[in-house]
Amino acid sequence: MIELLKELIKIKSDTKEGANEALRYCAEWLESHGQEVQVHDNLGYLMLTATKGENNEGDTIVWNGHVDVVPGHKEQFSPLVEGDRLYGRGAADMKAGVAAMMQAFVDLDEEKLSRTVQLHIVTDEEIGGHNTSEWLVQQGYTGDFIIAGEPTRLKVGLQSKGILHMDLTFKGKPAHGSRPWEGINAIEAAMKFHEALKDLPFTKESSEYYEQPSVNLAKINAGDRYNVVPEICHMSYDIRFLPEQDPKEIERQMAELGEQLNLNMDYTASGSTPALTTSETNPYIKHLQAVIREETDKEPVLFGQHGAADTRYYAAVNEGGEGAIEFGPAGDDWHGNAEYVSISSVETYRNILVAHALLEV
Ligand SMILES: [Zn+2]
């Protein structure tokens, strides 16, 4: 399995072509290990699915992994082992997860399986996942419980925040720059709004896994000359809300604030990605915790992710956004120059995947 991981790291998969090459390598490896594989093509993006226990009556678990990586330095595509560490671009994010899932899939004894297990390997997670994971879900490839093998240090990434994009337009009244009292400055209106936003009730809420939602003032655009009071100011927020929060309520509070401050403000809300809401009472999570305890002799750690991964596409079609988690091996500095994965954690991870798939819910 570690040899497989090294081979995957050598394939420079930071482009569409490179990621497709890595995908074809995975398909051939699985076939040479006796597995039946389906390779799919959407707009030139390749992905593969493989299924075990297809005729079983039970539920379906999906293992999802991506072989595309963010760009790296040339030497990062030559894997390097130092003690328990395997360095390389994608070692942690997430070719280790992929290699372990492939090995676990080969090792999984179909005779002992009472459910269906599907392996999904995709090629565009780092650029949004729209062409592969989202497409697979649209084609009906989904399940009751989904594990995305992102590097989580063998902790269980139970939830993730949702995303709300708010684009606001503040309208003022233009006037000559030498007589600003005759106009209404749209930039100052936007600043007033931004200051007051920090006190809105939604920004103060917390939950079991999160101290607060986040609000990023991402874009601002206004004014073009010194001698004019600006008439228009565009301002955009990237808001990451808690699983318990309703984006409609956030929208409502923002609109109400504009009215309270007596601002001439229009807005559009878009790009809303639902939060991942799996709770620790989910039976698959209970089983996963039991298996982690067994394999690591440690108490499993549950946490909430700040960003979203391909899990969001699977969760969106499950009731209440439940059942899609991030769970993968240990490592560090993914997307950085010293990315590595802990070799022993990859072995442990594979064992956990197999044991979890064999436990009946
Ligand atoms: Zn990743």
Side-chain angles (χ1 to χ4, degrees), residues 214-283:
S214 67
V215 177
N216 178 38
L217 172 55
K219 293 191 272 185
I220 186 156
N221 200 329
D224 54 5
R225 53 180 66 211
Y226 285 105
N227 61 357
V228 174
V229 173
E231 184 181 6
I232 299 282
C233 181
H234 299 286
M235 197 159 84
S236 299
Y237 289 105
D238 179 30
I239 299 168
R240 305 299 172 104
F241 58 89
L242 309 178
E244 291 79 1
Q245 290 183 314
D246 176 1
K248 288 272 168 228
E249 170 58 19
I250 295 174
E251 240 183 274
R252 196 196 63 72
Q253 290 182 19
M254 305 244 312
E256 194 180 72
L257 179 63
E259 280 169 31
Q260 275 169 5
L261 297 173
N262 208 9
L263 302 174
N264 187 348
M265 179 188 103
D266 284 333
Y267 72 91
T268 55
S270 61
S272 181
T273 299
L276 302 189
T277 60
T278 307
S279 75
E280 54 184 277
T281 56
N282 182 303

Side-chain angles (χ1 to χ4, degrees), residues 305-352:
Q305 285 281 35
H306 290 288
D310 276 350
T311 38
R312 63 183 182 270
Y313 303 118
Y314 295 92
V317 297
N318 280 8
E319 212 181 314
E322 275 264 339
I325 64 158
E326 289 179 44
F327 174 62
D332 212 343
D333 205 27
W334 41 93
H335 296 206
N337 287 338
E339 176 174 0
Y340 73 87
V341 70
S342 146
I343 293 170
S344 56
S345 81
V346 186
E347 309 277 356
T348 307
Y349 180 61
R350 184 206 61 118
N351 296 342
I352 292 171

Side-chain angles (χ1 to χ4, degrees), residues 66 93-94 125-126 150-151:
H66 67 85
D93 187 10
M94 57 163 282
E125 196 276 341
E126 298 290 2
E150 299 287 357

